[in-house]
Amino acid sequence: MKTPNRLRPLGQPLLAALFGALATLAFSPFSYWPFMLVALWGLLLLLQVASSPKRAAWIGFSWGLGQFTTGVSWVYVSIDHFGGMPVIAGLFLMALLIVYLSLYPALFGWLIHKSPIKQAGIKWTMLAPALWLVVDWLRGWVFTGFPWLWPGYSQIDSPFAGIAPVLGVQGITLVLVSLAGLAALVTPHWGQWQGRARLFGMIAIIGLFAVSEGLGSVKWTTKTDQQQTVSLIQGNVPQALKWRADQRWPTLMKYLDLTRQHWDSDVVIWPEAAIPALERDLPRFFSQLDQAGKHNQTTVITGALDQREDGTYFNNVLALGAKTPRYQYPAPAQYSKHHLLPFGEFVPFESLLRPLAPIFNLPMSSFSPGEAVQPALPANGWEYITALCYEIAFPAQIRENLTASSDAIITLSNDAWFGRSIGPWQHLEIARMRALEFGLPVIRATNNGVTALVDERGQIDASLPQFETQVLTTQITQTQGLTPYRQWGNGPLWVWIVISGLVSLIAWRRTIYPQKRLAVVASLYI
């Protein structure tokens, strides 16, 4: 297909960047979910008219620049406020992150154009979605992974949300890319399908919408009559003051005062690293908190950092009080964060980067990971599966930790690093997707928001406003039943990828072999 005159060589990347930026509006807090379909449709349409693999890679890269420049801009808040770097250096570091993330859609563009598949339907409705999933998984794995802004997350309030309990967030992504490929093929004056093929494409689009809507009406899990009362303490401690020595006891007293008012709750939860000191430095404090919890028949769950005798740091969550073992250092009921945040909790290529800038030398930025699978936290007779802050973005890790007796997912966070940016809202959106995938309530306790309780359908039952010192006391309800995604994980998606690869291979062989046979016949007459 010839490139339309309106799309000059410079215009293609610019338009791709615009489509990429449009994708950000599909995520929280904007939540205009149709924009993700438009963004993907625009990308695939531009890739269909790309003149070469190099041009396709450039289009994909430009799309990524548009999405990640707008979508992860919140990272710059922590660099600017706490990095201790000149503005130019901070912007340069942010640019490196955006360029790195943009390499993944560039890889997708190059691969799909490099594919020898000639059949448009197979290439854009089977191979393209499969390649997108593989590239997205790579982004969620390389350097421990950055699975932020996977397209499926933007659909938590859309008709496609019903896919999540069956195929997970990446199942939604699969459907989105498939729809975008169909839409690009049937687009008048641009698409490659005409006549009956276009009619078939439009019917397929309607069918995918209908199936997604139908899945949304299925209740894979149901609520029981078992409930707990939980109180989430939002301390709202400014990040700039949190670790000052003169603020240690005022901070501890603040959390204790807020907790005393809610000893009638079954569980009281403090946010990530709520204790502004190492656990080993405050054994008496933890012992007294444990005793108070047991006396009031309340379990207290709190984030606390620690350093072991060998010098290794851990980002932990402790369970104290009712129905937990008697406290003695180190806490017998605890969870150690497994999936660490690059640069925030560990520094890749540490010996090279640490001397370059203060941001690579932040206090306690060399944590050690806990085990991939750890026991659930005891919560007054219930079992909470823990995902500490960034870990909530890794569904496979959470699924590995779930057992038949898991009652809820708890995620503690401190998004004060990111100020009034869109980051905390995207974080909450990810937590909502985990609840929908696994059919379990998700409890999200944060320092300054967004603190919330999410039900098993991914809907927010209750929440607190940001940047206010408040306590959210609410009821959490136990569920029964299993979602297909909790049982199968990403297995069905990998099956789809293999099938797509085989179909594409067969289509390619059927294209090339007739040409080879003709060449053999011709050679007999030469």
Side-chain angles (χ1 to χ4, degrees):
M1 175 184 291
K2 294 183 178 179
T3 304
N5 293 332
R6 72 192 77 176
L7 291 182
R8 305 291 181 182
L10 184 60
Q12 288 182 0
L14 289 176
L15 188 56
L18 179 61
F19 279 120
L22 198 65
T24 297
L25 294 176
F27 296 94
S28 187
F30 313 107
S31 301
Y32 300 119
W33 63 263
F35 284 7
M36 180 55 69
L37 272 172
V38 175
L40 292 170
W41 164 78
L43 172 63
L44 297 189
L45 197 63
L46 290 171
L47 290 177
Q48 286 186 29
V49 300
S51 57
S52 67
K54 182 179 179 181
R55 170 60 59 174
W58 180 234
I59 289 172
F61 182 77
S62 300
W63 192 91
L65 286 180
Q67 183 189 29
F68 295 117
T69 299
T70 56
V72 300
S73 57
W74 47 269
V75 175
Y76 181 73
V77 177
S78 61
I79 296 175
D80 182 53
H81 291 180
F82 308 107
M85 301 173 65
V87 173
I88 294 179
L91 290 173
F92 176 74
L93 189 64
M94 188 67 197
L96 284 180
L97 173 63
I98 293 169
V99 167
Y100 163 71
L101 295 175
S102 300
L103 292 176
Y104 290 95
L107 175 63
F108 168 77
W110 185 85
L111 287 173
I112 194 64
H113 198 285
K114 195 70 175 176
S115 163
I117 308 302
K118 302 301 181 183
Q119 293 88 338
I122 294 174
K123 184 172 185 177
W124 296 104
T125 66
M126 293 192 69
L127 183 61
L131 282 177
W132 188 284
L133 290 187
V134 171
V135 171
D136 257 2
W137 272 323
L138 276 176
R139 180 160 65 87
W141 175 75
V142 176
F143 300 127
T144 76
F146 191 83
W148 219 266
L149 298 185
W150 279 351
Y153 284 120
S154 66
Q155 306 300 300
I156 188 67
D157 292 313
S158 82
F160 302 108
I163 298 169
V166 181
L167 298 174
V169 63
Q170 287 296 69
I172 300 178
T173 297
L174 173 70
V175 172
L176 290 175
V177 180
S178 300
L179 280 171
L182 285 168
L185 288 171
V186 302
T187 300
H189 308 299
W190 294 59
Q192 300 178 38
W193 277 358
Q194 306 293 329
R196 290 184 178 180
R198 177 180 290 175
L199 178 61
F200 167 78
M202 295 176 70
I203 293 173
I205 290 173
I206 296 172
L208 281 174
F209 269 96
V211 170
S212 302
E213 185 72 32
L215 288 174
S217 64
V218 178
K219 292 186 177 181
W220 303 102
T221 60
T222 57
K223 293 181 177 180
T224 69
D225 57 357
Q226 300 297 311
Q227 290 189 322
Q228 272 191 339
T229 301
V230 295
S231 291
L232 313 182
I233 311 295
Q234 184 170 289
N236 195 35
V237 178
Q239 191 63 34
L241 301 178
K242 184 177 179 65
W243 293 101
R244 279 176 38 176
D246 62 338
Q247 294 297 311
R248 173 183 293 185
W249 288 106
T251 298
L252 292 175
M253 291 303 104
K254 183 176 190 178
Y255 278 103
L256 285 175
D257 289 341
L258 292 170
T259 299
R260 287 191 188 100
Q261 303 170 31
H262 298 277
W263 281 127
D264 56 340
S265 294
D266 296 304
V267 183
V268 173
I269 304 173
W270 299 3
E272 179 188 20
I275 309 298
L278 300 176
E279 182 192 351
R280 71 177 189 179
D281 295 335
L282 298 173
R284 185 177 178 184
F285 172 84
F286 285 107
S287 180
Q288 292 175 343
L289 183 59
D290 178 53
Q291 293 173 27
K294 285 179 167 60
H295 174 75
N296 290 281
Q297 299 182 347
T298 300
T299 299
V300 178
I301 296 176
T302 180
L305 307 182
D306 195 25
Q307 184 183 28
R308 302 293 166 78
E309 291 183 359
D310 60 1
T312 54
Y313 285 99
F314 289 89
N315 191 353
N316 296 333
V317 181
L318 316 181
L320 311 166
K323 299 184 180 180
T324 68
R326 184 177 65 86
Y327 177 82
Q328 55 182 358
Y329 176 79
Q334 68 170 264
Y335 169 86
S336 296
K337 188 175 186 180
H338 169 69
H339 221 121
L340 302 176
L341 179 66
F343 302 105
E345 293 171 316
F346 81 99
V347 179
F349 314 111
E350 186 172 0
S351 60
L352 175 65
L353 294 178
R354 280 199 183 278
L356 296 181
I359 192 172
F360 299 128
N361 225 7
L362 290 172
M364 293 168 285
S365 57
S366 288
F367 285 90
S368 296
E371 297 296 326
V373 178
Q374 300 179 48
L377 284 178
N380 215 340
W382 287 30
E383 291 190 3
Y384 288 175
I385 297 302
T386 307
L388 194 46
C389 193
Y390 182 58
E391 290 183 311
I392 198 66
F394 294 88
Q397 177 185 327
I398 296 173
R399 180 174 175 270
E400 289 175 1
N401 281 271
L402 288 171
T403 68
S405 55
S406 300
D407 297 301
I409 299 169
I410 181 175
T411 176
L412 277 59
S413 186
N414 177 23
D415 288 344
W417 292 98
F418 309 113
R420 298 180 180 273
S421 68
I422 61 178
W425 293 100
Q426 293 176 356
H427 208 170
L428 174 62
E429 189 171 59
I430 291 171
R432 293 178 61 194
M433 187 62 71
R434 295 293 86 84
L436 184 57
E437 287 172 336
F438 298 115
L440 289 172
V442 170
I443 306 165
R444 187 168 192 265
T446 70
N447 175 37
N448 66 348
V450 182
T451 297
L453 173 64
V454 182
D455 70 12
E456 76 283 358
R457 303 276 290 178
Q459 299 303 305
I460 299 174
D461 266 353
S463 64
L464 291 178
Q466 285 182 290
F467 314 111
E468 294 185 12
T469 301
Q470 288 194 29
V471 179
L472 176 61
T473 297
T474 186
Q475 299 287 325
I476 178 174
T477 305
Q478 206 173 57
T479 62
Q480 61 183 7
L482 296 174
T483 64
Y485 183 73
R486 182 172 171 179
Q487 299 178 72
W488 306 330
N490 290 321
L493 296 183
W494 283 111
V495 171
W496 170 262
I497 289 172
V498 171
I499 292 174
S500 298
L502 290 175
V503 170
S504 299
L505 179 61
I506 293 171
W508 173 70
R509 288 168 64 90
R510 286 183 175 178
T511 301
I512 193 172
Y513 275 10
Q515 297 175 357
K516 286 187 175 181
R517 285 197 294 268
L518 286 174
V520 171
V521 173
S523 67
L524 297 176
Y525 293 92
I526 295 177

